[in-house]
Amino acid sequence: MSRLNALRSRFVDAPDSLGAKARARRWNWFAQSFPDLSEMSVIDLGGTASAWLRAPVRPAHVHVVNLEKPPAELPGWLRADVADACELPAAILDTKYDLVFSNAVIEHVGGHLRRQMFADSVHRLAGRHWVQTPYRYFPVEPHFLFPGFQYLPIAVRTSLLRRWPLVHTPTSDREAARNIVMEVELLSITEMRHYFPSSQIRFERLGGLVKSVIAVQAR
């Protein structure tokens, strides 16, 4: 068990892990896509304040929207509110931002209708966006770090989740495990093109294979 946990750290969690290096490359790619980022007002749908506090880039202002309660104290350039990105309150929807950012969220919102509502929010909030999601057909499911996990029946995935030590938040409870499994619905390239028809669809690759799909509207 300890060896497997060490393996997760090596590949995902540690500062020098493959996952950390991939995140650094993605931040760099993001910054290159929006050269005036330091002057922009950004709304992050589904992100966290802590992620921006650690990020190597800093827009002029960031507004984080998430279902989880944010920290009580934040710097002046960073704001966080509790809200559903698929059904944003008018006070947020009517605010104009320079850029919408979202990292690995759309696959969690729940079904086609909710994904379309999420995309509609993205299009309404700003003319530019960066929306990233893990690719459904990458061989290793990124949330559970298990090969082919996304193709297995729900009952099998639930059973695996209760025993597999490499998941981010392990649980031995069957119902909790089933809810976690059913909450993740990875997207295809076709689906991302459907939700973001005017965007440039970019690919993040690992070992030559598409690992994640990014819808980018840079102008």
Side-chain angles (χ1 to χ4, degrees), residues 27 30 44 48-55 57 59 62 64 77-78 101:
W27 276 120
F30 172 62
D44 181 349
T48 63
S50 60
W52 284 101
L53 292 171
R54 297 191 306 267
V57 300
V62 178
V64 174
W77 60 273
L78 182 58
F101 176 90

Side-chain angles (χ1 to χ4, degrees), residues 81-202:
D81 285 313
V82 177
D84 184 343
C86 301
E87 300 181 74
L88 291 169
I92 295 178
L93 275 178
D94 294 338
T95 302
K96 290 301 180 182
Y97 301 87
D98 297 316
L99 172 67
V100 180
F101 176 90
S102 185
N103 185 64
V105 174
I106 193 171
E107 73 271 17
H108 294 282
V109 300
H112 165 64
L113 178 60
R114 296 264 301 167
R115 290 194 293 270
Q116 186 63 65
M117 293 167 68
F118 181 93
D120 291 344
S121 294
V122 171
H123 296 308
R124 178 168 173 176
L125 288 164
R128 291 183 280 183
H129 57 253
W130 172 283
V131 179
Q132 183 269 357
T133 188
Y135 181 45
R136 177 183 295 163
Y137 299 109
F138 186 70
V140 179
E141 208 289 341
H143 301 86
F144 306 100
L145 295 183
F146 192 94
F149 188 86
Q150 63 271 41
Y151 310 128
L152 299 172
I154 290 175
V156 177
R157 282 182 277 164
T158 299
S159 180
L160 280 171
L161 177 57
R162 298 174 66 203
R163 296 166 174 82
W164 184 241
L166 298 187
V167 298
H168 185 267
T169 51
T171 178
S172 59
D173 182 79
R174 181 179 297 276
E175 184 174 354
R178 187 185 300 116
N179 283 332
I180 292 171
V181 163
M182 294 177 67
E183 189 261 341
V184 180
E185 298 174 298
L186 298 183
L187 278 71
S188 66
I189 296 168
T190 299
E191 287 168 311
M192 285 294 281
R193 285 180 171 149
H194 173 82
Y195 298 126
F196 303 98
S198 63
S199 306
Q200 179 184 6
I201 302 299
R202 299 181 183 178

Side-chain angles (χ1 to χ4, degrees), residues 11-74:
F11 282 99
V12 180
D13 298 328
D16 60 344
S17 66
L18 292 176
K21 292 176 182 177
R23 288 188 290 272
R25 286 195 299 269
R26 190 182 303 152
W27 276 120
N28 184 57
W29 194 8
F30 172 62
Q32 291 177 350
S33 300
F34 303 95
D36 54 343
L37 183 64
S38 62
E39 304 171 5
M40 298 175 74
S41 172
V42 177
I43 183 167
D44 181 349
L45 299 181
T48 63
S50 60
W52 284 101
L53 292 171
R54 297 191 306 267
V57 300
R58 180 170 297 182
H61 185 263
V62 178
H63 184 185
V64 174
V65 175
N66 199 310
L67 294 175
E68 298 181 1
K69 186 176 179 180
E73 296 185 8
L74 294 172

